[in-house]
Amino acid sequence: MAGGRFAPILSWIDDQHPRMVELVRAWASINTGSLNVFGLRRLSEQVLQTAQRLGGEVQQVPLPAYEVIDDAGQTQRYPLAEALVIRKRPAAPIQVLLAIHLDTVYGPEHPFQRVEQPSPDILHGPGVADAKGGLVVLLTALEALERSEDAERIGWELILNPDEELSSPGSAALLTQAAKRHHVGLVFEPALPDGKLVSQRKGSVNYTLVVRGRAAHAGRDPEHGRNAIHAMAKLISRLDALRQQMPEVVVNVGRIAGGGPVNVVPDLAVARLNIRAQQMQQIRAIEDRLRRWMHELNQEEGFSAELREQPSVPPKLMDEPMRALLEQVRACGQELGLSIDWRPSGGICDGNRLAAAGLPTLDTLGPCGGEIHSEQEYLLLPSLTQRVKLAAMLMMKYAAGELGPPTPSADGVDIKRSRG
């Protein structure tokens, strides 16, 4: 029988499918845009009600405000909702960190708010795959683990953060610190549309460029003005030329703001860009060049330019611990009749941070779906039970001693020091 002695628990998971579908539907109906503190707190309350059956010590951790440069070049601070942390059996011999985010990219003003089920196997709605479906998979997998006879041998910590879609500016330190207390990390981002896991990820850094010039009448006194938009356009053109010399690096200028009436020489331009690469040295090389160009602009009369960086997200590498973890999941999948494969991705998630802290981390254990971050986002409902079984099987095998967590890399995981 598939699953061996775990078969009764796997059967129990099958029975949870209707409840899981309703939870995804209900939670995706709550708007949890990253800055919608009210909606995020409402979801946290509902998650806590569902998580009561797990036991464990609950913490609601305040996070620092999110800082961003607005279109006027000024720093704005936005409050973030609290992170939700639940921890159980911190002295057990095996420690697993589980994580997923509560927020979505769809704010209260976004037109995509309804959850619909166009067919028995598909749910369509904001965050159904990224990551309300993963949230339900995570909690149900922990329920399954707690039903196993070996559960006492494994401890776990659950982190639900409210700011992942902003690159986790408030919760990054919380995640990095938690990584040092565990042997393995499981993050429930959606699987790739074809069901594959992600093996490695690029690193990512967001930048804001602010160029200030001097306003003047565009007809009467144009020579007195210093056109900030023209200067910004030259910077972006040079950046694009550099990007073409490094095709393995992603450079995306995602937003430009500035200017006003066309009879005024604009004195401000603000641009936001994202750079992604497999190695942080590649990102820093482009950053160094950009800073040099902006320094040159600062030497021109009437101009001032500055570059502001948001917290970086390090690359996630395909090292030996990661390869061993993927092979363990593949073996669990074979026992369940699932074919598990993987490939690299240019996307980033909290798995990047956990892996960079030295924790072997799988970060696409959520259900299958697609078109995420768009109004076509969908979830494949049969994958809910499949992914719960996969995560639960891995943890139950750790608890039973049938598998051992991969040996972590040397960068910072210190289980003994962090207990107690």
Side-chain angles (χ1 to χ4, degrees):
M1 178 182 294
R5 68 188 185 93
F6 303 127
I9 297 176
L10 300 178
S11 179
W12 174 85
I13 293 172
D14 286 327
D15 294 339
Q16 306 312 302
H17 182 75
R19 180 173 71 97
M20 287 192 284
V21 172
E22 289 308 308
L23 281 175
V24 176
R25 184 194 301 273
W27 292 350
S29 298
I30 300 172
N31 182 278
T32 56
S34 302
L35 299 179
N36 183 2
V37 174
F38 174 81
L40 286 157
R41 286 173 176 167
R42 182 181 167 203
L43 177 60
S44 291
E45 291 173 359
Q46 295 199 14
V47 170
L48 278 175
Q49 292 175 8
T50 300
Q52 284 179 348
R53 67 189 75 193
L54 295 173
E57 178 185 352
V58 177
Q59 289 181 287
Q60 290 181 299
V61 181
L63 301 180
Y66 171 56
E67 293 190 355
V68 65
I69 308 302
D70 65 16
D71 288 350
Q74 302 300 315
T75 300
Q76 300 294 333
R77 302 176 79 250
Y78 297 95
L80 294 173
E82 298 78 12
L84 185 60
V85 178
I86 306 176
R87 196 171 184 195
K88 190 169 185 178
R89 294 187 293 269
I94 298 171
Q95 295 293 314
V96 177
L97 177 62
L98 304 98
I100 193 55
H101 57 95
L102 300 172
D103 61 325
T104 72
V105 297
Y106 313 103
E109 74 290 343
H110 198 284
F112 187 38
Q113 302 289 340
R114 289 187 60 185
V115 180
E116 300 175 315
Q117 189 169 351
S119 72
D121 289 346
I122 295 178
L123 199 65
H124 172 256
V128 290
D130 186 21
K132 307 296 175 65
L135 176 59
V136 171
V137 168
L138 184 160
L139 293 171
T140 310
L142 280 178
E143 286 186 51
L145 170 67
E146 291 299 310
R147 299 173 72 90
S148 72
E149 60 188 43
D150 303 303
E152 292 299 317
R153 295 193 65 253
I154 189 169
W156 51 263
E157 182 173 353
L158 164 61
I159 297 181
L160 306 178
N161 58 335
D163 60 339
E164 191 272 349
E165 296 294 3
L166 303 174
S167 297
S168 303
S171 58
L174 180 69
L175 291 160
T176 300
Q177 291 164 7
K180 300 179 185 299
R181 296 192 290 266
H182 298 85
H183 295 94
V184 68
L186 306 177
V187 180
F188 289 77
E189 290 287 339
L192 297 171
D194 58 4
K196 288 185 174 67
L197 301 171
V198 169
S199 54
Q200 61 188 50
R201 296 179 180 272
K202 287 182 167 68
S204 173
V205 185
N206 293 331
Y207 299 93
T208 301
L209 285 67
V210 181
V211 174
R212 301 184 189 276
R214 186 164 63 224
H217 193 291
R220 176 178 293 186
D221 200 20
E223 67 279 358
H224 182 70
R226 297 293 181 268
N227 194 308
I229 292 178
H230 287 180
M232 180 69 79
K234 291 178 182 178
L235 287 172
I236 293 173
S237 179
R238 297 176 77 176
L239 189 63
D240 186 62
L242 181 61
R243 176 194 61 81
Q244 295 182 42
Q245 300 171 23
M246 305 173 69
E248 71 280 9
V249 178
V250 175
V251 180
N252 183 58
V253 179
R255 182 178 176 85
I256 299 177
V262 294
N263 62 347
V264 177
V265 176
D267 61 355
L268 175 68
V270 178
R272 297 181 179 86
L273 64 140
N274 172 255
I275 304 178
R276 299 181 186 224
Q278 199 59 55
Q279 298 179 359
M280 286 301 294
Q281 296 94 318
Q282 295 171 306
I283 296 177
R284 297 308 178 192
I286 293 178
E287 178 189 325
D288 289 345
R289 190 75 64 89
L290 188 54
R291 289 188 184 279
R292 189 185 317 161
W293 296 335
M294 298 186 78
H295 176 72
E296 293 171 1
L297 181 59
N298 277 322
Q299 308 310 304
E300 297 186 26
E301 190 273 327
F303 283 107
S304 66
E306 59 179 320
L307 181 67
R308 303 194 192 181
E309 174 187 345
Q310 290 185 293
S312 61
V313 180
K316 182 186 178 194
L317 306 178
M318 183 64 161
D319 55 14
E320 284 307 309
M322 183 64 196
R323 192 179 304 278
L325 184 52
L326 286 165
E327 291 294 349
Q328 288 181 342
V329 174
R330 171 178 275 168
C332 290
Q334 289 176 341
E335 193 166 340
L336 294 166
L338 302 174
S339 177
I340 302 298
D341 207 346
W342 49 83
R343 65 177 174 85
S345 172
I348 62 170
C349 75
D350 288 328
N352 290 58
R353 298 188 187 281
L354 299 180
L359 183 66
T361 302
L362 272 175
D363 57 31
T364 37
L365 282 171
C368 302
E371 304 287 349
I372 62 173
H373 294 195
S374 82
E375 295 185 34
Q376 287 72 49
E377 181 173 350
Y378 68 91
L379 169 67
L380 298 178
L381 293 173
S383 68
L384 288 170
T385 52
Q386 294 170 0
R387 294 291 163 154
V388 172
K389 289 179 179 179
L390 191 63
M393 176 73 80
L394 180 66
M395 289 189 290
M396 290 189 295
K397 283 184 175 290
Y398 285 155
E402 296 182 20
L403 289 176
T407 302
S409 57
D411 297 331
V413 177
D414 188 347
I415 302 293
K416 292 182 180 179
R417 184 185 65 205
S418 60
R419 285 190 190 148

